[in-house]
Amino acid sequence: MRHNKKFNHLSRTASHRSAMLSNMANSLIEHKRITTTLPKAKALRVYLEPLVTKSKENTTHSRRVVFSKLQNKHAVAELFSNIADKVGDRPGGYLRILKIGRRQGDDAMMAIIEFVDFNEDRTKIAKKSDSVKKTRRSRRGGKKKSEATATEAAKVEETDNSDVQAEAEK
């Protein structure tokens, strides 16, 4: 029976798979973004997100648990210092996978996997969209309702002012 054996084996032995995921995790921590195949990116997300959650709690035990998976003290130091500071308030979902199409040689589906809080381009776009609030009004009306009512109110005021001036002249 295959109880609790749901993860992708990636056509590798267990030792090869764990070494590959460890190396990919070290590269991702160092560079903050890597390009790989889509199944490897999905497997890496399952492998690395619990380690990032562990890094939020900076204790000797959590450092040793993360080091047992990564086997790289520089990656562990980076994870517990810079990355844990940025994702400290986030409840989960530390990694983003972006599909980028198929590879020329073997038609494998490729993807970019990156840390969510380290992509400056997307954070700039998010800040701009937060400052400008969008509305869900249709474009059929031509003018917005507030603009239309403002122009009508201005016309009414002009006519009232002209009536008052005409009476004052008499």
Side-chain angles (χ1 to χ4, degrees):
M1 287 186 270
R2 297 191 69 244
H3 295 306
N4 202 18
K5 295 183 180 176
K6 211 171 181 179
F7 62 91
N8 192 345
H9 294 279
L10 301 172
S11 300
R12 287 163 173 80
T13 61
S15 59
H16 185 189
R17 186 172 51 253
S18 66
M20 182 194 65
L21 290 173
S22 176
N23 289 335
M24 288 175 64
N26 288 330
S27 295
L28 183 61
I29 290 168
E30 180 184 349
H31 299 291
K32 310 296 186 273
R33 172 192 282 187
I34 58 173
T35 303
T36 184
T37 61
L38 185 62
K40 285 182 188 176
K42 289 180 178 180
L44 181 61
R45 180 174 53 189
V46 171
Y47 183 84
L48 189 57
E49 284 200 349
L51 300 181
V52 176
T53 303
K54 282 270 189 204
S55 73
K56 288 181 176 183
E57 183 182 348
N58 191 2
T59 62
T60 304
H61 176 68
S62 60
R63 280 183 174 270
R64 286 179 177 170
V65 168
V66 171
F67 182 79
S68 70
K69 295 282 189 175
L70 296 180
Q71 296 293 316
N72 185 345
K73 65 180 181 181
H74 301 295
V76 171
E78 177 76 14
L79 185 63
F80 276 83
S81 61
N82 295 341
I83 295 172
D85 291 340
K86 283 228 178 178
V87 300
D89 57 340
R90 184 179 287 273
Y94 313 111
L95 299 173
R96 175 186 296 130
I97 295 176
L98 303 168
K99 296 177 185 176
I100 57 172
R102 299 194 168 271
R103 186 162 51 196
Q104 182 78 32
D106 59 355
D107 203 35
M109 194 65 181
M110 298 298 289
I112 294 173
I113 184 166
E114 64 185 6
F115 282 101
V116 173
D117 294 325
F118 284 89
N119 189 346
E120 291 81 18
D121 298 335
R122 286 194 179 262
T123 53
K124 288 178 186 175
I125 292 170
K127 287 180 182 175
K128 286 181 183 177
S129 65
D130 288 343
S131 63
V132 177
K133 294 187 178 183
K134 295 181 181 177
T135 59
R136 303 256 330 191
R137 295 185 181 137
S138 67
R139 296 184 182 198
R140 283 187 245 151
K143 293 181 181 178
K144 294 181 181 176
K145 288 183 180 180
S146 61
E147 291 177 7
T149 56
T151 55
E152 290 173 0
K155 288 179 183 176
V156 170
E157 287 179 24
E158 288 178 24
T159 56
D160 289 342
N161 290 340
S162 63
D163 293 339
V164 170
Q165 287 177 357
E167 289 179 27
E169 290 177 3
K170 289 182 184 179

